[in-house]
Amino acid sequence: MTLRRGALRSLLAVAAVGLVPAGVAAAGHATTSEAALPAGTEAAAQTAVLFDDFDYTTHTDPRLRERGWTVRSYGGGPGVGGDTWAPENVGFVDGDGGRVLRLEATTDGTEAGTAQAEILHQRKFHHGTYAARVRFTDTPVSGPDGDELVQAFFTITPLRFPDDPEYGELDFEYLPNGGWGQADSALFLTSWETYDPAGDARNESTAVPGGQAGWHDLVVQADGTSLRYHVDGRLVAEHSGDVYPDTPMAIHFNQWFIETGFLDSPVSRTWEQQVDWVYHAKDEIVSPDEVLAEVAGYRGAGVGHVDTVPAP
């Protein structure tokens, strides 16, 4: 069911506390037909949306956990190995249009002197539309330039074992200093079927060369059969159903260093990535313009957080 866009505001007060009535779809959504979804998936019949404006105080703000977010503190990949994920590198600052999420990554070129940042939501997102407004950077805010690193907005499923058939991943990954075969800046859009850490990878990847410093509206549409990646309203990649995720995923933002791409310098440097908001519409394909209208509607009504997406 699709409502007139003007009906959105009448839903906001209810959606803000997660009590949208069954049978109601958010205004402005193009509801996916049942034919466009995998067998056994019902077309969206009610509002099922995540929207977060990241209006928090610090990484210890209790509302983060209450709303399904985890600030990463555990070790492991990607990036530099060991216990290099620092919760204090996840923060919130005043930015363009209000409060924004800030991810900080610092290094002196050694594992011991490296601290990366990641924040993730719970694993409950599958078909539908994912979007975020992200600010990429091409130079560190302090220290010398030259490190190869990744600034990312992505969804992912845990890999339980090599070539796990239930694995899935959808990536926007910006490399300001190149890497992965690119000599210069590039934005990688990658859809993963699965992989083996020993080397085998099954994915489709599109590299968009060139600098991407500044704010960008990132949207990926997952309609059950294909994946369409948009940057600032422009379709830049479409990947086939062969790499379509098979199970629900978690939403992540992170910034990390490619372990083989450190600048040869002992001088400490700090990189920054920012996120203005994140949005997901369950089982609905929403155009990039409609996403921006939805976000503007929530903000205009003073709603900073909505989550009516059910946990699996």
Side-chain angles (χ1 to χ4, degrees):
M1 177 180 180
T2 302
L3 299 182
R4 293 173 291 109
R5 185 175 304 283
L8 174 62
R9 296 185 187 280
S10 66
L11 296 175
L12 287 172
V14 183
V17 293
L19 297 175
V20 178
V24 179
H29 292 180
T31 304
T32 306
S33 67
E34 292 185 11
L37 295 171
T41 301
E42 296 179 358
Q46 64 179 11
T47 297
V49 171
L50 168 72
F51 168 69
D52 204 318
D53 208 16
F54 292 117
D55 187 13
Y56 300 102
T57 55
T58 69
H59 72 280
T60 60
D61 191 324
R63 293 175 299 163
L64 286 167
R65 183 164 293 277
E66 291 167 4
R67 294 174 176 179
W69 292 103
T70 297
V71 177
R72 183 172 178 179
S73 60
Y74 53 89
V80 177
D83 189 14
T84 57
W85 297 92
E88 61 272 18
N89 280 23
V90 175
F92 302 90
V93 298
D94 292 331
D96 293 347
R99 203 75 167 159
V100 299
L101 166 65
R102 181 178 187 265
L103 302 174
E104 181 179 286
T106 61
T107 189
D108 60 4
T110 68
E111 180 176 321
T114 297
Q116 305 170 123
E118 182 164 10
I119 187 170
L120 57 142
H121 207 279
Q122 64 193 110
R123 182 187 171 192
K124 63 175 185 176
F125 306 98
H126 199 184
H127 316 292
T129 303
Y130 301 83
R133 182 166 174 78
V134 179
R135 178 176 172 264
F136 298 127
T137 55
D138 276 350
T139 56
V141 295
S142 65
D145 191 4
D147 295 304
E148 291 182 358
L149 74 157
V150 180
Q151 301 168 353
F153 160 48
F154 63 106
T155 66
I156 195 168
T157 301
L159 184 77
R160 300 171 300 168
F161 48 81
D163 293 325
D164 182 355
E166 293 189 3
Y167 182 79
E169 183 176 349
L170 309 177
D171 296 334
F172 289 93
E173 296 176 305
Y174 181 54
L175 281 61
N177 285 325
W180 300 344
Q182 291 284 330
D184 299 309
S185 305
L187 176 64
F188 284 83
L189 315 167
T190 308
S191 306
W192 290 81
E193 167 60 21
T194 190
Y195 75 99
D196 182 340
D200 177 53
R202 279 176 274 170
N203 61 41
E204 286 187 36
S205 188
T206 303
V208 180
Q212 298 286 342
W215 286 102
H216 295 283
D217 300 320
L218 309 177
V219 176
V220 59
Q221 299 167 327
D223 67 5
T225 59
S226 65
L227 301 156
R228 293 181 296 278
Y229 292 82
H230 304 257
V231 178
D232 298 330
R234 182 171 63 93
L235 179 65
V236 293
E238 185 166 2
H239 298 161
S240 71
D242 292 341
V243 291
Y244 195 93
D246 294 318
T247 60
M249 301 170 289
I251 292 174
H252 291 235
F253 297 93
N254 67 15
Q255 185 175 217
W256 50 277
F257 296 99
I258 300 174
E259 60 184 354
T260 57
F262 275 142
L263 171 69
D264 185 16
S265 170
V267 179
S268 181
R269 48 270 190 192
T270 298
W271 290 82
E272 179 184 83
Q273 172 188 354
Q274 294 182 350
V275 184
D276 191 6
W277 49 261
V278 64
Y279 172 92
H280 172 73
K282 181 181 184 295
D283 294 344
E284 299 185 17
I285 299 307
V286 186
S287 74
D289 285 345
E290 288 172 331
V291 168
L292 296 182
E294 293 282 285
V295 171
Y298 286 124
R299 286 180 154 177
V303 176
H305 174 264
V306 175
D307 188 358
T308 56
V309 180

